[in-house]
Amino acid sequence: MIVTQVATAFALVVAPPPQQQLSPSPPPVRLEAGGAPIDTEVGHAAPFVGDFDEDGVNDLLVGQFGGGVLWICRNEGTNAAPRLAKPVKFKDGKPEGTVPTG
């Protein structure tokens, strides 16, 4: 119920006026890291772009709902021409780190 109310309120705030025509969105693309499509083992994916390793270029973090796994795809390219490395799991000093889910 609350989600519906928030979504409706958000739509009312950000929706363009009825007379304004929007250009179509580009088609979705499948991102690759390490030469393979990015995929989570299970559950929904929650992507985040930011400079994780503080090297001046944005990296891709992908949160996986199933098990709370956080995948890190370091950018070995530039912000203008990113080249994402093979995803590795976030460790946090443990054999396999996790982040809170739910």
Side-chain angles (χ1 to χ4, degrees):
M1 176 81 135
I2 292 174
V3 172
T4 304
Q5 292 170 342
V6 171
T8 302
F10 181 75
L12 292 174
V13 171
V14 299
Q19 71 276 10
Q20 183 180 354
Q21 294 294 319
L22 298 176
S23 59
S25 298
V29 296
R30 185 161 218 174
L31 294 180
E32 291 191 359
I38 297 173
D39 195 9
T40 56
E41 293 171 344
V42 65
H44 306 291
F48 174 81
V49 174
D51 187 5
F52 181 75
D53 53 8
E54 298 181 338
D55 64 354
V57 292
N58 288 327
D59 306 297
L60 176 66
L61 307 179
V62 181
Q64 172 183 303
F65 181 76
V69 175
L70 178 63
W71 294 94
I72 303 167
C73 303
R74 296 188 190 276
N75 184 356
E76 298 175 338
T78 65
N79 286 331
R83 194 178 85 246
L84 299 174
K86 182 179 177 180
V88 295
K89 289 182 180 179
F90 172 72
K91 299 291 184 180
D92 192 30
K94 302 173 188 155
E96 195 168 286
T98 59
V99 295
T101 62

